[in-house]
Amino acid sequence: MIGGFEDQTKPLTDYENNVLLPIIILGLKTKIGEDNAINSKVIERKLKEKGYNISGARLRKIINHIRINGLIHCLMASSKGYWIENDKEKVKTYINSLEQRADAIQNVANSLKAQLFL
């Protein structure tokens, strides 16, 4: 869990693992190519319309679980939503973007650490 975000980042519940995860995987597997991306608000709305209980934060946690565990290969994300990307060059570009964002966050953390001792 991430400090300050315990509710959002706690491990998946049995309900999320056994009920929501398989449904979300089935839906995302149809989203091949960026033109077919679906955003989290639409996923959340569609699930709620079918009677499933889910919040945006927990949906993102489930999708994070899918991505980290390789349950759907090359599941990409942008402001357009989530989709499966089969173009290796686009996946490489996305990985580079993720690494750059991780570096930017680490730079802020390093700066704040240094500021503690001024």
Side-chain angles (χ1 to χ4, degrees):
M1 285 188 290
I2 298 173
F5 297 91
E6 289 81 7
D7 287 341
Q8 296 89 341
T9 61
K10 67 184 176 188
L12 297 183
T13 65
D14 286 342
Y15 175 72
E16 291 166 339
N17 246 324
N18 300 321
V19 176
L20 295 176
L21 180 63
I23 293 167
I24 292 167
I25 288 173
L26 280 174
L28 288 173
K29 282 188 172 184
T30 68
K31 306 304 177 202
I32 299 171
E34 189 172 3
D35 289 341
N36 295 307
I38 185 168
N39 70 45
S40 59
K41 294 284 187 204
V42 173
I43 297 169
E44 183 181 354
R45 180 179 46 80
K46 287 184 175 196
L47 288 169
K48 286 182 176 180
E49 285 172 357
K50 294 185 185 281
Y52 295 104
N53 180 25
I54 190 164
S55 69
R58 294 309 292 170
L59 173 60
R60 290 186 296 277
K61 174 64 178 179
I62 293 168
I63 291 172
N64 178 267
H65 176 84
I66 291 168
R67 297 173 87 196
I68 287 175
N69 291 286
L71 302 178
I72 298 176
H73 291 173
C74 298
L75 183 59
M76 310 286 277
S78 76
S79 59
K80 291 182 179 183
Y82 300 99
W83 74 94
I84 296 168
E85 185 56 68
N86 291 321
D87 182 322
K88 288 185 180 185
E89 290 307 312
K90 288 181 180 180
V91 175
K92 288 178 186 178
T93 298
Y94 184 70
I95 291 167
N96 186 46
S97 173
L98 287 172
E99 291 172 340
Q100 290 172 344
R101 288 184 274 163
D103 288 344
I105 291 169
Q106 188 61 56
N107 288 338
V108 172
N110 291 342
S111 178
L112 289 172
K113 285 180 192 175
Q115 293 169 38
L116 281 174
F117 301 106
L118 291 178

